[in-house]
Amino acid sequence: MTAPLRPTVIRNATVLTLDDSDRLHPRADVVIEGGLIRAVGPGAAASAPPGAEVIEAEGNLVIPGLVNGHFHSPGNFMKGALENWPLELFMLFEVPPLMDRVASPRFAYVRTMLGIIEMLKQGVTSVHDDCFFVPVVTEGEVDAVLQAYADAGMRATVTLDQPNVAETEKYPFLAEILPAPLRARMEAAPRMTDRQLLDHYAAYIDRWHGKAGGRLRAAVSCSAPQRVTPEYFRALGDIARQMDIPYDMHILETRLQRVLGQENYGKSLVRYAHDMGVLTEQAMVIHAIWIDDEDIRLIADSGASVAHNPVSNLKIGSGIMRWRHLREAGINVCLGNDEANTDDGINLWTVGKVAGLMHNVTDPEFRNWITPGEILGGLTHAGARAMRLPAPTGRIAPDWQADLTILDLSTLPFTPLNDIRRQLVYCETGGSVRTVLVGGEVVVRNGRLTRVDEDALLAEARECAAEFAEYMARCSSAAEELAPHYRAMYDRALATPVGMDRWARPDFGKGEALQ
């Protein structure tokens, strides 16, 4: 049995609470007991229990731990591995539909830990991991992923993101474009039944939900509405509602997916999710780029959250999300990396900076541009809200989780110190992070993880390079013969009108109107 944590006091720090009043204390204390914040403010250390550990933090800034609102840990080995292609071509080389071998549990553990180390050292205390499996879910790989989060002490909400329909059902036009032999091979590729996946979820939830002192939680994922059977799509919605856990669904990330809705469903995929009864307050709508006003109304009325992944959207050319329209509708919008191969890194600070800049080119009315305060909220409590945690995190306030990041204000990003909020968003890269607490436990001290032998894990990750190279070679082999047909599908979708434009281009206004 794990010994209870000692109470802790962070003393004499600058404290940015990001609470409802957005208080900035130039000099204050934070008192932590039982994994929760008990008091915050000038002189709060006087209320600390006897024997509390003291962290002297003069010259440091305390902020809520960052929350990675959307992430795929299986991509952790892929930074710099793939070209800048549209999603439909990109995924061919990342999760090829003809792949027939699974990752070993140890590889999955090291792969997951690689991302954990990078996130924790940057002050990311929580992650919403929409974890996919190629080609099928296995208990060994699932347990390896969760064990890595447990060992490192990170807070994680993890799904089993597994499509279960034939590849030709996920895209418009593909069935008629593919030669018959390839189409037959795709039909025969390994995929799991609804019952098999639901059984995996039942076992997974029983083994891991609420474990590691409550830091680990399960969520459900359909990957995307068009990637699963209607029955499984609804069944996951039932689990999400009954347990009040997130339901992850990638919706309208790309223009081609807008075409898919028109061609295969006769409606927007947001409307399809609504009509299927799964667009609820538990829903995490990921990307939501190629949406219209009616889609925004449906998402807002449902109470669902949206995950914005601006660096990923730029790398694979998905388009620019309508941030201000979503926020004005009252929708909770959080920020995420997506994955290492669509970010070519796992730096949530970069995500915040890009989000704070890219939307400035979408509206000449500068009063609508995103503020640093909105970005910081999207990096913290908005992501935590979407994770539907039983005890909240992402603010520094009494009775909130003691998930905290301490940064050194003497570093270059804060020298000279002009405005803390702006410099956090536009100057900080994660290099100023010194100490990180999750649930009141110090998991990073002086820039080093306390529970993990970083050097040994990184060495093992380098040793895994051969297994990863073999995996990528199999991916490439499986994808190359399909790629010309996917390009033909992409081009045909591009020629299909959708009545909107989400790209930033110099001939803006000459083609389809931006709505």
Side-chain angles (χ1 to χ4, degrees):
M1 182 178 293
T2 305
L5 289 171
R6 286 174 60 191
T8 301
V9 178
I10 303 172
R11 195 160 62 184
N12 297 323
T14 300
V15 179
L16 180 61
T17 62
L18 298 182
D19 64 6
D20 288 335
S21 300
D22 195 28
R23 293 183 182 89
L24 175 62
H25 297 290
R27 189 179 184 87
D29 310 320
V30 182
V31 179
I32 301 164
E33 187 177 11
L36 301 177
I37 297 165
R38 295 304 184 192
V40 56
S47 66
E53 177 185 356
V54 177
I55 299 175
E56 292 290 354
E58 187 168 0
N60 289 270
L61 170 67
V62 183
I63 64 171
L66 303 189
V67 178
N68 195 343
H70 177 61
F71 189 60
H72 297 290
S73 64
N76 286 349
F77 263 79
M78 291 187 179
K79 59 183 70 169
L82 297 175
E83 297 281 355
N84 295 0
W85 290 310
L87 177 72
E88 291 75 24
L89 294 171
F90 188 92
M91 287 180 66
L92 262 184
F93 292 83
E94 175 198 22
V95 285
L98 298 178
M99 179 65 78
D100 59 0
R101 289 172 59 184
V102 301
S104 67
R106 185 61 190 179
F107 178 81
Y109 179 89
V110 174
R111 179 188 66 196
T112 307
M113 192 64 81
L114 191 64
I116 291 169
I117 292 171
E118 193 162 355
M119 286 188 282
L120 283 178
K121 288 170 75 74
Q122 294 171 17
V124 179
T125 54
S126 302
V127 62
H128 194 147
D129 186 354
D130 192 34
C131 191
F132 59 79
F133 302 86
V134 181
V136 294
V137 180
T138 65
E139 184 175 302
E141 190 173 354
V142 172
D143 287 349
V145 170
L146 273 295
Q147 192 62 56
Y149 285 118
D151 290 350
M154 194 171 189
R155 193 178 304 282
T157 294
V158 184
T159 75
L160 311 182
D161 172 345
Q162 192 66 22
N164 76 333
V165 299
E167 189 79 354
T168 51
E169 296 183 39
K170 304 173 190 175
Y171 296 107
F173 316 131
L174 188 60
E176 58 188 278
I177 290 173
L178 281 174
L182 267 181
R183 193 165 61 246
R185 285 171 60 196
M186 285 185 138
E187 290 288 340
R191 60 180 182 270
M192 305 180 77
T193 66
D194 297 356
R195 185 69 269 155
Q196 287 172 323
L197 284 169
L198 291 171
D199 287 346
H200 266 291
Y201 261 115
Y204 163 55
I205 289 168
D206 182 63
R207 288 197 311 276
W208 288 106
H209 187 58
K211 298 301 191 296
R215 291 192 305 273
L216 302 182
R217 291 180 60 79
V220 298
S221 174
C222 64
S223 184
Q226 71 275 15
R227 297 174 186 161
V228 294
T229 68
E231 295 76 19
Y232 184 54
F233 193 37
R234 285 191 293 260
L236 292 178
D238 292 340
I239 296 171
R241 278 190 298 273
Q242 291 162 10
M243 297 186 63
D244 193 22
I245 58 177
Y247 186 175
D248 291 11
M249 51 188 81
H250 295 73
I251 297 185
L252 293 174
E253 178 178 1
T254 69
R255 188 185 187 282
L256 185 142
Q257 291 171 6
R258 189 81 201 183
V259 174
L260 169 74
Q262 294 174 182
E263 296 290 326
N264 291 24
Y265 299 93
K267 62 182 77 172
S268 156
L269 290 171
V270 172
R271 167 60 71 177
Y272 175 63
H274 170 273
D275 291 351
M276 292 289 282
V278 301
L279 188 64
T280 65
E281 63 182 294
Q282 287 79 24
M284 164 63 94
V285 178
I286 303 157
H287 298 296
I289 297 171
W290 291 82
I291 56 174
D292 59 22
D293 290 343
E294 174 65 7
D295 295 329
I296 292 175
R297 184 189 69 78
L298 290 172
I299 295 170
D301 289 350
S302 74
S305 294
V306 167
H308 182 30
N309 306 273
V311 177
S312 170
N313 299 158
L314 290 174
K315 178 178 172 70
I316 59 178
S318 296
I320 301 177
M321 192 192 78
R322 302 171 68 190
W323 171 292
R324 182 57 64 204
H325 295 84
L326 291 164
R327 292 296 298 126
E328 286 180 345
I331 296 168
N332 180 56
V333 180
C334 61
L335 290 162
N337 281 116
D338 203 347
E339 54 192 311
N341 50 359
T342 56
D343 190 303
D344 290 321
I346 308 173
N347 193 314
L348 202 57
W349 296 98
T350 300
V351 168
K353 180 172 183 172
V354 170
L357 295 174
M358 71 183 290
H359 296 279
N360 295 355
V361 301
T362 66
D363 191 346
E365 177 46 77
F366 64 89
R367 297 172 188 84
N368 290 335
W369 294 356
I370 301 172
T371 67
E374 288 178 300
I375 294 296
L376 291 171
L379 289 170
T380 55
H381 49 79
R385 174 180 165 186
M387 288 169 70
R388 306 192 71 78
L389 302 173
T393 187
R395 300 184 192 270
I396 302 179
D399 298 325
W400 283 59
Q401 299 268 16
D403 297 352
L404 303 170
T405 293
I406 304 177
L407 302 98
D408 183 354
L409 288 176
S410 70
T411 56
L412 285 171
F414 300 102
T415 303
L417 182 56
N418 296 306
D419 185 281
I420 279 179
R421 295 173 184 83
R422 280 197 288 272
Q423 285 170 254
L424 280 169
V425 172
Y426 296 114
C427 305
E428 180 54 47
T429 62
S432 304
V433 173
R434 297 292 178 264
T435 303
V436 179
L437 297 89
V438 177
E441 178 185 355
V442 175
V443 295
V444 175
R445 192 187 301 275
N446 297 323
R448 301 286 293 179
L449 274 66
T450 61
R451 285 171 157 239
V452 173
D453 185 337
E454 294 178 41
D455 294 336
L457 258 297
L458 293 177
E460 188 174 357
R462 287 188 288 271
E463 291 170 3
C464 288
E467 182 175 348
F468 175 66
E470 182 189 357
Y471 173 83
M472 289 305 294
R474 297 199 311 272
C475 284
S476 181
S477 175
E480 287 292 352
E481 63 179 320
L482 293 171
H485 308 294
Y486 276 66
R487 291 189 189 101
M489 173 189 67
Y490 178 82
D491 290 342
R492 182 168 169 183
L494 201 58
T496 304
V498 296
M500 64 180 70
D501 194 339
R502 297 289 176 262
W503 285 308
R505 53 189 183 181
D507 60 346
F508 186 87
K510 294 181 182 178
E512 296 171 343
L514 180 62
Q515 298 176 355

